[in-house]
Amino acid sequence: MKGIVLAGGNGKRLHPLTIAFSKQLLPVGNKPMIYYPLAVLMAAGIREILIVLRPGDLPLFREILGDGSPWGVALTYAVQPEPRGIADAILIGAEHIASDDCALVLGDNIFHGSGFGRLLQREVTQVKGCTLFSYQVTDPHRYGVAVTDADGNILEIQEKPENPPSHRAVTGLYLYDNDVVDIAKYIRPSARGELEITDVNNAYIACNRARVVELSRGYAWLDTGTPEALLQAGQYVRTLEERQGVQIACLEEIALRMGYIDAEQCHRLGRSMAGSAYGRYVMNIARELGADTVPDRAG
């Protein structure tokens, strides 16, 4: 399965922060926002990832992320000339997807929870059509809302309904089989001139090829698209990291635990940032998981 992170858009709800700066490079905790969707795909076992971004942002993304090889993944980039909807990322990434299935995640979404990686690893191996993830929210009118029958089968998705039929919002993580490219080609632009991902999902639903996975209370889903949500996400991450002594969305740790890199490489990555708490955490993880292959001190 190939991965796509949509990191385009103008981030208007975050102006003036994002007038000249990508919102996906804003800090959430002690790391750029883009780390969180990358962590989702890496934890799912996806190693070939396309990042779709707006014009002008490519140099900064490349400076921060490079080609992904230090983490044992392959990162490539594509430009979305103007905001044309989430589904446009599928068309932009058609060559990247090629004959594979596809996981699409929004660059401003954060997912966290015990066992979430294992859940994703299971789901990516059994995609037949499309798999969506829903999460209970207090303000469903802001999102696409999943409508299901008594047995949990998905009937439709209503986009930002005035009278929401449920509180189950569809999150910004989507798994698709290879037909998604052809389906996206036939989606008509909305009144705003955008290709809506809800139309893609409803096309799968119409032919009984969609399922929804409900994320329980043990998981967190955060959309960081507003100043308030960005602040709340940073507070959430900081609180958990301080209380639990872990780093959320630590790409080096995920790469090590997934076997993309070895402990020695992980330790080198941490040592390059040894002046920060993040770098020291990475070195400690490397020592913990590969005590026979890394030095006892930073050196």
Side-chain angles (χ1 to χ4, degrees):
M1 179 174 281
K2 301 288 181 60
I4 297 177
V5 179
L6 178 54
N10 292 323
K12 290 183 178 180
R13 292 182 297 168
L14 285 166
H15 281 183
L17 281 173
T18 52
I19 290 177
F21 195 75
S22 170
K23 69 178 177 180
Q24 286 83 15
L25 296 181
L26 294 175
V28 178
N30 61 352
K31 56 190 76 69
M33 187 188 299
I34 190 67
Y35 270 44
Y36 296 87
L38 285 176
V40 168
L41 296 180
M42 288 173 61
I46 298 170
R47 302 178 70 174
E48 295 179 66
I49 302 169
L50 174 70
I51 300 176
V52 178
L53 38 75
R54 66 183 186 178
D57 289 339
L58 183 56
L60 275 177
F61 273 84
R62 278 188 167 154
E63 182 176 356
I64 293 170
L65 302 175
D67 63 1
S69 57
W71 302 306
V73 300
L75 300 181
T76 52
Y77 303 89
V79 170
Q80 186 181 44
E82 58 186 19
R84 293 190 300 230
I86 298 172
D88 186 51
I90 295 169
L91 299 182
I92 292 173
E95 186 175 340
H96 169 73
I97 296 170
S99 60
D100 291 314
D101 295 340
C102 169
L104 171 63
V105 61
L106 302 188
D108 61 359
N109 277 213
I110 294 175
F111 296 85
H112 179 254
S114 177
F116 187 60
R118 292 190 296 274
L119 169 66
L120 293 181
Q121 291 164 30
R122 181 175 68 248
E123 292 299 332
V124 299
T125 63
Q126 54 188 25
V127 175
K128 296 178 180 178
C130 85
T131 300
L132 309 172
F133 298 85
S134 70
Y135 190 82
Q136 183 159 328
V137 297
T138 58
D139 50 354
H141 62 278
R142 294 180 51 214
Y143 305 97
V145 177
V147 182
T148 58
D149 62 20
D151 297 321
N153 300 310
I154 189 165
L155 303 176
E156 67 170 324
I157 298 172
Q158 296 182 9
E159 186 63 27
K160 298 181 180 178
E162 291 185 10
N163 299 300
S166 78
H167 284 261
R168 302 298 305 189
V170 177
T171 72
L173 173 62
Y174 319 90
L175 306 181
Y176 298 110
D177 66 12
N178 190 253
D179 291 339
V180 70
V181 175
D182 288 333
I183 290 174
K185 288 178 181 177
Y186 288 98
I187 296 300
R188 294 182 178 179
S190 67
R192 298 182 301 172
E194 297 184 355
L195 300 180
E196 304 289 351
I197 200 67
T198 293
D199 292 338
V200 172
N201 296 334
N202 278 331
Y204 273 104
I205 293 170
C207 55
N208 297 314
R209 297 180 58 209
R211 60 187 292 267
V212 60
V213 176
E214 294 190 357
L215 299 180
S216 67
R217 295 180 181 179
Y219 298 109
W221 170 54
L222 306 172
D223 178 349
T224 59
T226 67
E228 297 79 12
L230 181 63
L231 178 61
Q232 291 168 0
Q235 292 171 334
Y236 172 86
V237 169
R238 179 180 178 183
T239 298
L240 259 66
E241 290 183 344
E242 287 183 349
R243 290 185 178 181
Q244 299 181 358
V246 299
Q247 286 285 330
I248 297 174
C250 176
L251 302 186
E252 294 81 5
E253 179 177 4
I254 294 171
L256 176 58
R257 292 186 183 275
M258 293 295 293
Y260 302 161
I261 62 175
D262 59 23
E264 187 174 358
Q265 169 68 359
C266 183
H267 190 270
R268 283 199 299 269
L269 293 172
R271 189 168 55 192
S272 70
M273 300 177 283
S276 69
Y278 182 91
R280 292 189 293 273
Y281 173 84
V282 171
M283 287 191 291
N284 287 336
I285 286 294
R287 286 193 288 266
E288 177 184 326
L289 299 182
D292 295 334
T293 59
V294 298
D296 292 333
R297 292 178 294 180

